[in-house]
Amino acid sequence: EIVLTQSPGTLSLSPGERATLSCRASQSVSSSYLAWYQQKPGQAPRLLIYGASSRATGIPDRFSGSGSGTDFTLTISRLEPEDFAVYYCQQYGSSPVTFGQGTKLEIK
Amino acid sequence: EVQLVESGGGLVKPGGSLRLSCAASGFTFDDYAMHWVRQAPGKGLEWVSGISWNSGSIGYADSVKGRFTISRDNAKNSLYLQMNSLRAEDTALYYCAKDPGAGWDYFDYWGQGTLVTVSS
């Protein structure tokens, strides 16, 4: 199975700053079948990005995804207070689908 | 509005069984694959099982293969997970999640989850 490693484990930033989250796969993710989710405490995950770079319905354009092969990035251009949460990447190009361990984005 | 409502969780002893249900509304249920994803307390997400729109294709994580059975009733817009031979490591919040297509993809809608606790 494909192992996804997210870095950093925790990212401490201030509102208005730019956040860059990384997701590295143990082998190439076919057709850039990679998604990103946001999860806030006590809530279900929310889809942000699919196909490595396509924003899901209703997701603000400050969220963007990029990458291919084994290296993927989620960028939040200017952090809003509501963006502080845990972020997960997920690959769905190979069975079984797998998730990264998560990056916690916290307020500095 | 898409809604997924899980039920059936609870406290069960090791070796016991539980059946989870997910009631779906707000979309044409039998057009989409559906999945169960779990999250152990304070941990990350783990895909558990998925089922295609017509039940023709089913998959399980190795950690639950042979113990869990996924099924769906398109007439009732419902998804199920029969969990047998439960272990302490199955303790988690179990989410029902909708696939955006007919096969194994990402998850565009999630329920709020139902908690399963396996403990003596």
PDB file of all heavy atoms in Angstrom, chain A residues 12-13 17 20-21 42 44 46 54 57 63 65 67 73 75 91 95-97 104:
ATOM      1  N   SER A  12       3.035  26.242  13.237  1.00  0.00           N
ATOM      2  CA  SER A  12       2.561  27.378  14.038  1.00  0.00           C
ATOM      3  C   SER A  12       2.725  28.662  13.239  1.00  0.00           C
ATOM      4  O   SER A  12       3.845  29.075  12.940  1.00  0.00           O
ATOM      5  CB  SER A  12       3.349  27.473  15.347  1.00  0.00           C
ATOM      6  OG  SER A  12       3.201  26.300  16.113  1.00  0.00           O
ATOM      7  N   LEU A  13       1.607  29.284  12.911  1.00  0.00           N
ATOM      8  CA  LEU A  13       1.610  30.497  12.108  1.00  0.00           C
ATOM      9  C   LEU A  13       0.573  31.479  12.644  1.00  0.00           C
ATOM     10  O   LEU A  13      -0.280  31.118  13.469  1.00  0.00           O
ATOM     11  CB  LEU A  13       1.304  30.170  10.645  1.00  0.00           C
ATOM     12  CG  LEU A  13       2.348  29.341   9.890  1.00  0.00           C
ATOM     13  CD1 LEU A  13       1.799  28.887   8.540  1.00  0.00           C
ATOM     14  CD2 LEU A  13       3.632  30.135   9.690  1.00  0.00           C
ATOM     15  N   GLU A  17      -0.676  35.016   7.488  1.00  0.00           N
ATOM     16  CA  GLU A  17       0.526  34.384   6.932  1.00  0.00           C
ATOM     17  C   GLU A  17       0.147  33.303   5.912  1.00  0.00           C
ATOM     18  O   GLU A  17      -0.998  32.880   5.797  1.00  0.00           O
ATOM     19  CB  GLU A  17       1.386  33.790   8.046  1.00  0.00           C
ATOM     20  CG  GLU A  17       2.057  34.824   8.919  1.00  0.00           C
ATOM     21  CD  GLU A  17       3.146  34.228   9.807  1.00  0.00           C
ATOM     22  OE1 GLU A  17       2.789  33.437  10.703  1.00  0.00           O
ATOM     23  OE2 GLU A  17       4.339  34.563   9.615  1.00  0.00           O
ATOM     24  N   THR A  20       2.226  26.360   4.100  1.00  0.00           N
ATOM     25  CA  THR A  20       2.597  25.362   3.093  1.00  0.00           C
ATOM     26  C   THR A  20       2.706  24.010   3.777  1.00  0.00           C
ATOM     27  O   THR A  20       3.550  23.810   4.655  1.00  0.00           O
ATOM     28  CB  THR A  20       3.929  25.729   2.422  1.00  0.00           C
ATOM     29  OG1 THR A  20       3.817  27.031   1.841  1.00  0.00           O
ATOM     30  CG2 THR A  20       4.269  24.723   1.342  1.00  0.00           C
ATOM     31  N   LEU A  21       1.827  23.079   3.397  1.00  0.00           N
ATOM     32  CA  LEU A  21       1.781  21.742   3.982  1.00  0.00           C
ATOM     33  C   LEU A  21       2.210  20.737   2.922  1.00  0.00           C
ATOM     34  O   LEU A  21       1.797  20.813   1.769  1.00  0.00           O
ATOM     35  CB  LEU A  21       0.362  21.411   4.450  1.00  0.00           C
ATOM     36  CG  LEU A  21      -0.169  22.103   5.711  1.00  0.00           C
ATOM     37  CD1 LEU A  21      -0.351  23.599   5.514  1.00  0.00           C
ATOM     38  CD2 LEU A  21      -1.465  21.462   6.154  1.00  0.00           C
ATOM     39  N   GLY A  42     -14.057  17.948  16.932  1.00  0.00           N
ATOM     40  CA  GLY A  42     -15.452  17.571  17.072  1.00  0.00           C
ATOM     41  C   GLY A  42     -16.247  17.560  15.783  1.00  0.00           C
ATOM     42  O   GLY A  42     -17.467  17.374  15.811  1.00  0.00           O
ATOM     43  N   ALA A  44     -16.546  16.341  11.459  1.00  0.00           N
ATOM     44  CA  ALA A  44     -16.119  15.408  10.428  1.00  0.00           C
ATOM     45  C   ALA A  44     -15.132  16.102   9.491  1.00  0.00           C
ATOM     46  O   ALA A  44     -15.125  17.332   9.393  1.00  0.00           O
ATOM     47  CB  ALA A  44     -17.329  14.917   9.633  1.00  0.00           C
ATOM     48  N   ARG A  46     -13.636  17.621   6.084  1.00  0.00           N
ATOM     49  CA  ARG A  46     -14.266  18.376   5.003  1.00  0.00           C
ATOM     50  C   ARG A  46     -13.334  18.344   3.808  1.00  0.00           C
ATOM     51  O   ARG A  46     -12.147  18.639   3.940  1.00  0.00           O
ATOM     52  CB  ARG A  46     -14.500  19.810   5.469  1.00  0.00           C
ATOM     53  CG  ARG A  46     -14.976  20.809   4.428  1.00  0.00           C
ATOM     54  CD  ARG A  46     -14.773  22.197   4.992  1.00  0.00           C
ATOM     55  NE  ARG A  46     -15.254  23.260   4.132  1.00  0.00           N
ATOM     56  CZ  ARG A  46     -14.887  24.540   4.270  1.00  0.00           C
ATOM     57  NH1 ARG A  46     -14.075  24.897   5.244  1.00  0.00           N
ATOM     58  NH2 ARG A  46     -15.361  25.453   3.448  1.00  0.00           N
ATOM     59  N   SER A  54      -7.741  20.517  -7.772  1.00  0.00           N
ATOM     60  CA  SER A  54      -9.103  21.022  -7.990  1.00  0.00           C
ATOM     61  C   SER A  54      -9.781  21.323  -6.656  1.00  0.00           C
ATOM     62  O   SER A  54      -9.846  20.445  -5.789  1.00  0.00           O
ATOM     63  CB  SER A  54      -9.929  19.996  -8.764  1.00  0.00           C
ATOM     64  OG  SER A  54      -9.386  19.772 -10.047  1.00  0.00           O
ATOM     65  N   THR A  57     -16.380  22.083  -4.046  1.00  0.00           N
ATOM     66  CA  THR A  57     -17.437  23.082  -4.050  1.00  0.00           C
ATOM     67  C   THR A  57     -17.432  23.916  -2.775  1.00  0.00           C
ATOM     68  O   THR A  57     -17.389  23.367  -1.671  1.00  0.00           O
ATOM     69  CB  THR A  57     -18.814  22.388  -4.187  1.00  0.00           C
ATOM     70  OG1 THR A  57     -18.826  21.601  -5.378  1.00  0.00           O
ATOM     71  CG2 THR A  57     -19.926  23.428  -4.257  1.00  0.00           C
ATOM     72  N   PHE A  63      -7.215  28.512  -0.711  1.00  0.00           N
ATOM     73  CA  PHE A  63      -6.716  27.139  -0.648  1.00  0.00           C
ATOM     74  C   PHE A  63      -6.324  26.685  -2.057  1.00  0.00           C
ATOM     75  O   PHE A  63      -7.124  26.784  -2.989  1.00  0.00           O
ATOM     76  CB  PHE A  63      -7.791  26.184  -0.114  1.00  0.00           C
ATOM     77  CG  PHE A  63      -8.113  26.369   1.341  1.00  0.00           C
ATOM     78  CD1 PHE A  63      -9.119  27.249   1.738  1.00  0.00           C
ATOM     79  CD2 PHE A  63      -7.418  25.675   2.316  1.00  0.00           C
ATOM     80  CE1 PHE A  63      -9.414  27.436   3.072  1.00  0.00           C
ATOM     81  CE2 PHE A  63      -7.711  25.840   3.659  1.00  0.00           C
ATOM     82  CZ  PHE A  63      -8.709  26.729   4.037  1.00  0.00           C
ATOM     83  N   GLY A  65      -3.931  23.475  -4.238  1.00  0.00           N
ATOM     84  CA  GLY A  65      -3.143  22.259  -4.187  1.00  0.00           C
ATOM     85  C   GLY A  65      -2.274  22.139  -5.422  1.00  0.00           C
ATOM     86  O   GLY A  65      -2.636  22.615  -6.492  1.00  0.00           O
ATOM     87  N   GLY A  67       1.295  19.648  -7.202  1.00  0.00           N
ATOM     88  CA  GLY A  67       2.168  18.487  -7.106  1.00  0.00           C
ATOM     89  C   GLY A  67       1.758  17.360  -8.022  1.00  0.00           C
ATOM     90  O   GLY A  67       0.691  17.364  -8.622  1.00  0.00           O
ATOM     91  N   THR A  73       1.541  19.391  -2.363  1.00  0.00           N
ATOM     92  CA  THR A  73       1.527  20.523  -1.445  1.00  0.00           C
ATOM     93  C   THR A  73       0.142  21.136  -1.368  1.00  0.00           C
ATOM     94  O   THR A  73      -0.536  21.288  -2.393  1.00  0.00           O
ATOM     95  CB  THR A  73       2.524  21.606  -1.910  1.00  0.00           C
ATOM     96  OG1 THR A  73       3.842  21.047  -1.965  1.00  0.00           O
ATOM     97  CG2 THR A  73       2.537  22.796  -0.959  1.00  0.00           C
ATOM     98  N   THR A  75      -1.421  24.694  -0.112  1.00  0.00           N
ATOM     99  CA  THR A  75      -1.043  26.047   0.262  1.00  0.00           C
ATOM    100  C   THR A  75      -2.274  26.841   0.646  1.00  0.00           C
ATOM    101  O   THR A  75      -3.296  26.795  -0.055  1.00  0.00           O
ATOM    102  CB  THR A  75      -0.321  26.761  -0.908  1.00  0.00           C
ATOM    103  OG1 THR A  75       0.833  26.007  -1.285  1.00  0.00           O
ATOM    104  CG2 THR A  75       0.106  28.161  -0.506  1.00  0.00           C
ATOM    105  N   GLN A  91      -4.603   9.461  -0.779  1.00  0.00           N
ATOM    106  CA  GLN A  91      -4.427   9.028  -2.165  1.00  0.00           C
ATOM    107  C   GLN A  91      -5.501   8.021  -2.509  1.00  0.00           C
ATOM    108  O   GLN A  91      -5.870   7.178  -1.691  1.00  0.00           O
ATOM    109  CB  GLN A  91      -3.020   8.478  -2.401  1.00  0.00           C
ATOM    110  CG  GLN A  91      -2.678   7.178  -1.712  1.00  0.00           C
ATOM    111  CD  GLN A  91      -3.225   5.954  -2.428  1.00  0.00           C
ATOM    112  OE1 GLN A  91      -3.481   5.974  -3.639  1.00  0.00           O
ATOM    113  NE2 GLN A  91      -3.422   4.862  -1.689  1.00  0.00           N
ATOM    114  N   SER A  95      -5.215   0.859  -4.556  1.00  0.00           N
ATOM    115  CA  SER A  95      -5.960   0.214  -3.480  1.00  0.00           C
ATOM    116  C   SER A  95      -5.004  -0.439  -2.489  1.00  0.00           C
ATOM    117  O   SER A  95      -4.051  -1.094  -2.908  1.00  0.00           O
ATOM    118  CB  SER A  95      -6.891  -0.848  -4.076  1.00  0.00           C
ATOM    119  OG  SER A  95      -7.646  -1.473  -3.077  1.00  0.00           O
ATOM    120  N   PRO A  96      -5.241  -0.246  -1.174  1.00  0.00           N
ATOM    121  CA  PRO A  96      -6.335   0.506  -0.577  1.00  0.00           C
ATOM    122  C   PRO A  96      -6.065   2.010  -0.570  1.00  0.00           C
ATOM    123  O   PRO A  96      -4.908   2.432  -0.587  1.00  0.00           O
ATOM    124  CB  PRO A  96      -6.376  -0.021   0.856  1.00  0.00           C
ATOM    125  CG  PRO A  96      -4.939  -0.312   1.160  1.00  0.00           C
ATOM    126  CD  PRO A  96      -4.356  -0.833  -0.128  1.00  0.00           C
ATOM    127  N   VAL A  97      -7.130   2.809  -0.528  1.00  0.00           N
ATOM    128  CA  VAL A  97      -6.908   4.241  -0.361  1.00  0.00           C
ATOM    129  C   VAL A  97      -6.262   4.434   0.998  1.00  0.00           C
ATOM    130  O   VAL A  97      -6.528   3.682   1.951  1.00  0.00           O
ATOM    131  CB  VAL A  97      -8.235   5.036  -0.456  1.00  0.00           C
ATOM    132  CG1 VAL A  97      -8.893   4.782  -1.787  1.00  0.00           C
ATOM    133  CG2 VAL A  97      -9.172   4.712   0.671  1.00  0.00           C
ATOM    134  N   LYS A 104      -1.127  19.427  11.963  1.00  0.00           N
ATOM    135  CA  LYS A 104      -1.909  20.343  12.782  1.00  0.00           C
ATOM    136  C   LYS A 104      -1.429  21.766  12.541  1.00  0.00           C
ATOM    137  O   LYS A 104      -0.247  22.061  12.730  1.00  0.00           O
ATOM    138  CB  LYS A 104      -1.782  19.998  14.267  1.00  0.00           C
ATOM    139  CG  LYS A 104      -2.618  20.902  15.174  1.00  0.00           C
ATOM    140  CD  LYS A 104      -2.478  20.518  16.632  1.00  0.00           C
ATOM    141  CE  LYS A 104      -3.334  21.407  17.512  1.00  0.00           C
ATOM    142  NZ  LYS A 104      -3.195  21.056  18.950  1.00  0.00           N
TER     143      LYS A 104
END
